Amino acid sequence: MVHYYIESTPLPSEVYLDFCDITEKKGYQCSTHYVTTEDGYILTMFNIKNKKQPGKPVLMVHGVYATADGFVINVNGKAPAFSLADAGYDVWLPNTRGTFHSQAHKYLDLYSKEFWSWTAIETARYDLPAVIQFVKEFTSQEQVGYIGHSLGGSMMFFMLAVKPELEKDLSIVISLSSTLAKFKSESLLMNLVTSDFSIETMDFLGVKQVLEKPTLFMTKFLQAFPNFAYWITWDRYDPLLHGDSVSPLAYYSYKYSGGTSLENLRFLRRVMDSPSYELSHWDFGEQKNLEIYGKPRIGKVEYSNIRAKVALLGGLYDLVVKPGDIERFARLLPQESLVFKKLNYQHDHCSFLFSSDQKYMEDVLSLLKQHFN
């Protein structure tokens, strides 16, 4: 009877729409593009424009197990990507390797161990330069703006630390709830899935992909029991913080979750367990170190290499990346690079994406206008 109740639970029609369907339903133009990285991963990237002549290009990059959908599915207020499009920007939304949008490779099989042998280091080293170069060439623009949520911001900071010459391609880097330093998460899910026990158990069972898109049955379960959905998501997104309904949580979970590699969780655990706030590079061995970092032996992350203009935005109620952790990261940056810092927005980790309170976007738009050449 419970199974029948769940199966008969109706879902919002948007659940069955793809990214461009959702976008075009809102009145925007949408197109899909494919970008091949230097190491062979084929990434799906979406482009959103308003009906008028698009302006400067801006990249919006999602977090650790998320997808580009997170920037367009807000039902409580105007989604961040649409705010940019309405302001005249040419909005580009890549999906990093391993998410359900980007599960192709030039020669590796999706189900092979090799396909999933990567961390955020590889996404920073290969995915981000590839999408930046693609957007520059497609738009004939010398620079792009960059907005990264959570790990989407952290990857950019890492990319700039190892490839500082790419600073010239960026007008400004705006991070939402991001750090490139040790952080102590109070999120129950984050601590559960990155625990040594969970990682080693999944590794023993042969699990390669984690936190992937839920099934339609699971989505119907969350829709049928919204209080349970709230219970398992509140530490990342609490809709009650802004008086929003819990009913969209099933829809958000289905569209937002895209999956990541088990190795990426192992990497995040190491960051969280770092003996100091100043991180050391991940040691791959001399040959791969040379490929990733440009030198065979590695040490601390070169924070002084991050010379792009940086804006740090954080939420007062964020349990995943707390304001204090972003503050400590800010002290590691070259102070001439830090052009804006505000860590007391009335937000938690994902309400930047999903809540009815999107006033922070006024600061984002002001920063883009001020720092685009």
Side-chain angles (χ1 to χ4, degrees):
M1 182 175 291
V2 174
H3 187 273
Y4 173 78
Y5 174 70
I6 294 171
E7 284 286 14
S8 62
T9 298
L11 291 171
S13 60
E14 287 80 7
V15 166
Y16 303 99
L17 301 180
D18 65 22
F19 184 97
C20 279
D21 288 336
I22 293 171
T23 302
E24 290 167 355
K25 187 177 179 181
K26 293 289 186 178
Y28 302 90
Q29 297 176 352
C30 181
S31 56
T32 304
H33 305 263
Y34 299 97
V35 182
T36 303
T37 67
E38 183 183 334
D39 59 343
Y41 286 85
I42 301 170
L43 313 178
T44 300
M45 180 159 58
F46 303 114
N47 178 220
I48 297 175
K49 299 178 175 71
N50 62 24
K51 300 289 186 178
K52 302 175 183 177
Q53 183 68 26
K56 300 286 188 178
V58 177
L59 277 164
M60 302 188 82
V61 180
H62 61 77
V64 58
Y65 66 93
T67 65
D69 297 57
F71 292 110
V72 302
I73 58 176
N74 188 342
V75 300
N76 297 307
K78 184 181 291 186
F82 299 152
S83 292
L84 290 180
D86 285 344
Y89 290 102
D90 188 7
V91 188
W92 294 82
L93 302 103
N95 295 272
T96 57
R97 63 184 65 192
T99 65
F100 70 81
H101 287 304
S102 297
Q103 294 188 339
H105 194 279
K106 288 173 65 176
Y107 51 86
L108 293 178
D109 181 79
L110 172 62
Y111 301 102
S112 67
K113 181 179 180 180
E114 291 77 16
F115 183 95
W116 296 100
S117 295
W118 50 265
T119 69
I121 293 174
E122 283 85 354
T123 56
R125 171 63 179 80
Y126 297 112
D127 293 16
L128 296 189
V131 298
I132 290 171
Q133 186 61 31
F134 181 95
V135 172
K136 283 182 58 185
E137 292 179 359
F138 193 93
T139 62
S140 300
Q141 296 287 330
E142 294 183 1
Q143 288 189 318
V144 301
Y146 187 94
I147 300 172
H149 177 249
S150 191
L151 194 66
S154 305
M155 291 187 300
M156 172 52 68
F157 296 133
F158 182 83
M159 187 202 81
L160 289 169
V162 298
K163 295 177 73 69
E165 67 275 10
L166 295 183
E167 174 266 337
K168 69 181 187 306
D169 297 331
L170 301 163
S171 63
I172 187 171
V173 175
I174 301 172
S175 74
L176 311 174
S177 298
S178 305
T179 181
L180 187 63
K182 176 182 178 177
F183 68 102
K184 185 172 177 58
S185 175
E186 293 182 5
S187 163
L188 299 177
L189 176 72
M190 177 67 76
N191 286 316
L192 174 64
V193 299
T194 61
S195 69
D196 290 337
F197 176 79
S198 294
I199 290 172
E200 296 311 317
T201 300
M202 288 187 284
D203 195 17
F204 175 77
L205 295 173
V207 173
K208 298 182 286 291
Q209 181 189 17
V210 293
L211 299 173
E212 59 265 41
K213 184 175 183 175
T215 63
L216 276 175
F217 180 80
M218 184 60 183
T219 305
K220 288 185 176 184
F221 179 88
L222 296 177
Q223 187 73 25
F225 301 102
N227 289 335
F228 178 79
Y230 175 79
W231 182 73
I232 64 172
T233 59
W234 72 268
D235 60 337
R236 284 149 287 136
Y237 170 53
D238 183 354
L240 303 184
L241 185 62
H242 296 106
D244 297 330
S245 171
V246 300
S247 61
L249 289 175
Y251 170 54
Y252 290 161
S253 297
Y254 185 72
K255 289 295 187 181
Y256 178 79
S257 303
T260 190
S261 69
L262 182 63
E263 288 304 305
N264 209 16
L265 294 189
R266 200 189 303 273
F267 167 74
L268 289 175
R269 183 75 258 168
R270 173 174 168 175
V271 171
M272 294 165 68
D273 290 342
S274 171
S276 68
Y277 283 99
E278 189 175 355
L279 299 181
S280 297
H281 284 299
W282 186 289
D283 191 351
F284 292 97
E286 290 192 2
Q287 182 175 350
K288 191 168 182 181
N289 285 346
L290 192 62
E291 176 186 332
I292 296 288
Y293 307 116
K295 52 188 176 182
R297 292 186 173 85
I298 49 89
K300 297 281 188 181
V301 170
E302 297 87 348
Y303 292 96
S304 61
N305 283 349
I306 303 174
R307 297 191 291 268
K309 297 169 185 174
V310 171
L312 301 177
L313 284 65
L316 195 60
Y317 304 105
D318 194 334
L319 297 180
V320 179
V321 181
K322 295 183 293 184
D325 292 325
I326 302 176
E327 179 65 54
R328 280 180 278 269
F329 167 58
R331 296 173 193 155
L332 297 172
L333 289 170
Q335 290 309 294
E336 62 273 17
S337 296
L338 186 60
V339 298
F340 182 87
K341 180 184 68 176
K342 184 175 178 180
L343 308 179
N344 63 347
Y345 292 97
Q346 302 295 301
H347 282 286
D348 57 20
H349 198 66
C350 287
S351 65
F352 283 104
L353 306 178
F354 302 141
S355 82
S356 57
D357 181 1
Q358 293 290 302
K359 291 191 292 292
Y360 79 93
M361 283 300 297
E362 296 174 5
D363 290 332
V364 170
L365 293 172
S366 176
L367 286 162
L368 288 171
K369 183 177 180 180
Q370 180 181 353
H371 292 286
F372 246 125
N373 293 334

